[in-house]
Amino acid sequence: MNIVWQYLDKRAATIKVLKDYNSMKHIIERTDDDISMIYDGMISPSSPVNDGMPTVRNPQANENRITHTIDKIDVLKERLRQALEYMDWFQPAWDELTEDEQFVLHEFYMVEEQSQTSAVYNICDRFNIERSSAYNKKNRTLERLTLLLYGK
């Protein structure tokens, strides 16, 4: 085992992984549409701008626009590759959790713009438990996911 793993804060890393899930899912769902929209913009002619300023002729303007668009597409493809790699790594561990464990982690870390207090109340309502039990349930579930993702 690599010595670096002993110094990695696996719990904090797991929390960051959970918070990134929605972003990665969004990237996977939207990248093909974004690429096709950018590509369509690349092949359509640009319209003249009538803003009263004198024009400057740039003989490489079309080539510049095409290379800039290709660079954008490359960035989107790399981002998609990373999102797919993330999902290939994360999804098997997530699927190992029970539905209740997934609910707990989802409420705490994956619902955007929700306070921790609201998450605790939602968990308490679902399982009919006290707040301290909800935090304990979250900690146990987070430890289990950390173990599934990173091992010991």
Side-chain angles (χ1 to χ4, degrees):
M1 182 165 108
N2 193 338
I3 192 72
V4 173
W5 286 103
Q6 293 180 4
Y7 297 102
L8 178 68
D9 185 358
K10 296 174 190 169
R11 180 182 170 92
T14 302
I15 292 170
K16 288 181 79 172
V17 166
L18 287 166
K19 289 181 178 182
D20 286 344
Y21 180 79
N22 291 331
S23 300
M24 297 300 172
K25 191 174 176 183
H26 178 76
I27 288 169
I28 291 170
E29 292 170 354
R30 294 275 315 169
T31 298
D32 290 335
D33 295 336
D34 292 344
I35 288 174
S36 65
M37 189 170 55
I38 290 172
Y39 183 75
D40 290 343
M42 176 178 71
I43 59 175
S44 64
S46 61
S47 59
V49 178
N50 294 325
D51 59 359
M53 296 296 294
T55 59
V56 176
R57 176 144 165 61
N58 181 358
Q60 287 85 26
N62 287 333
E63 290 88 355
N64 290 344
R65 190 180 76 209
I66 290 171
T67 56
H68 179 69
T69 304
I70 290 171
D71 289 342
K72 278 188 195 177
I73 290 173
D74 287 343
V75 168
L76 289 174
K77 285 183 178 180
E78 176 60 21
R79 198 173 73 167
L80 175 62
R81 185 198 63 75
Q82 290 174 357
L84 290 171
E85 186 178 317
Y86 166 92
M87 283 297 183
D88 288 343
W89 170 69
F90 177 75
Q91 198 63 47
W94 182 253
D95 292 340
E96 285 289 318
L97 298 176
T98 66
E99 185 179 324
D100 291 340
E101 290 172 328
Q102 288 178 358
F103 175 79
V104 169
L105 292 178
H106 183 270
E107 286 296 313
F108 264 97
Y109 301 112
M110 298 169 111
V111 177
E112 295 178 17
E113 299 182 18
Q114 174 174 286
S115 67
Q116 199 170 30
T117 306
S118 298
V120 169
Y121 287 136
N122 291 342
I123 292 168
C124 290
D125 288 344
R126 177 167 175 162
F127 298 112
N128 296 318
I129 57 177
E130 296 177 354
R131 288 178 54 159
S132 61
S133 298
Y135 281 109
N136 291 338
K137 185 179 267 303
K138 183 239 344 170
N139 290 334
R140 283 191 307 272
T141 305
L142 189 60
E143 287 174 20
R144 181 160 186 254
L145 181 62
T146 301
L147 184 65
L148 289 169
L149 289 173
Y150 299 105
K152 286 188 172 189

